[in-house]
Structures are given as structure tokens and as C-alpha cells.
């Protein structure tokens, strides 16, 4: 089954909506990448450590969850893993790089 993806404009609209409807943002990049640039309110759970973060990821069942990375490849894997936990996660197509290009140019590109 393909992993659902959303574009950065849809994610921005969700983030601008009512607080109760805003997505949980899960960043699956490395701590170094996260330090360079991150989306507001995102929580870091590096892809290679996702299993170690299951304690706070599993309770996200029933919430809107957007997984992102640099360009959208690692986030597909992260969203797939979360779906196996029963979390209805989507991947951010184009990642934080697309966010910087199309939504918020103040987010550094690297």
C-alpha cells in the first residue's frame, strides 16, 4: 500500500488552522540537520532511532501526523513505520527543502 503524501502548501494550511486540528510534526532527519533548520513545533525522531521513540509516537494514534525530512525520502520510510504502529502518518512531499522554497524562505536551505 502506498504511503500517503501531502504537499507543503497543504501542511502549511493545516498548521495555520485551529490549534486542536494542527498536525504533529515528526522530523526524521539527524540532530545536526534539525539544528540547521526545523519546522515550528516539530519533534525530532531520527529515522534510525524511530523504534526508541515509540513511547511518544504510539499515542499519536487518532491524531494528524506529518513526517518530514530533507527531501521526502526518509519521511516515506518513517510514515510507513508509524503506520505499522497504527498511526495514520503522512509524508511531506519534497521535505523541508520544498517548505523553504514554496512556503517560508526564512527556513535555511542546506
Amino acid at each position: 500500500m502506498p504511503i500517503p503524501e501531502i504537499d507543503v502548501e497543504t501542511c502549511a494550511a493545516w498548521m495555520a488552522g485551529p490549534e486542536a486540528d494542527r498536525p504533529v510534526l515528526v522530523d526524521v532527519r539527524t540532530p545536526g540537520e534539525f539544528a540547521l533548520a526545523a519546522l515550528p513545533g516539530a519533534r525530532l525522531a531520527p529515522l534510525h532511532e524511530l523504534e526508541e521513540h515509540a513511547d511518544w509516537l504510539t499515542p499519536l494514534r487518532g491524531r494528524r501526523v506529518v513526517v518530514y525530512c530533507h527531501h521526502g525520502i526518509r519521511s516515506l520510510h518513517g510514515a510507513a513505520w508509524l503506520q505499522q504502529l497504527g498511526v495514520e502518518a503522512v509524508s511531506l512531499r519534497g521535505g523541508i527543502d520544498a517548505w523553504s522554497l514554496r512556503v517560508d524562505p526564512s527556513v535555511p536551505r542546506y
Side-chain angles (χ1 to χ4, degrees):
M1 171 189 247
I3 301 305
E5 295 181 274
I6 61 164
D7 57 45
V8 293
E9 293 84 5
T10 299
C11 185
W14 288 356
M15 290 172 62
E19 189 171 338
D21 295 336
R22 290 181 192 154
V24 176
L25 301 174
V26 178
D27 187 328
V28 294
R29 298 173 303 147
T30 66
E33 290 174 294
F34 188 78
L36 285 172
L39 298 183
R43 293 196 59 187
L44 179 64
L47 184 62
H48 67 282
E49 297 175 359
L50 271 181
E51 207 169 307
E52 297 169 29
H53 296 281
D55 61 325
W56 66 267
L57 292 166
T58 304
L60 297 178
R61 291 180 184 132
R63 301 267 320 264
R64 183 179 276 176
V65 177
V66 176
V67 181
Y68 76 92
C69 63
H70 190 199
H71 287 113
I73 304 303
R74 287 175 282 180
S75 60
L76 284 170
H77 296 284
W81 189 83
L82 285 169
Q83 287 196 359
Q84 290 178 357
L85 288 181
V87 176
E88 293 184 27
V90 298
S91 175
L92 185 63
R93 187 180 310 113
I96 198 167
D97 195 55
W99 183 274
S100 179
L101 289 170
R102 299 185 350 226
V103 174
D104 184 358
S106 72
V107 173
R109 293 187 70 211
Y110 62 96

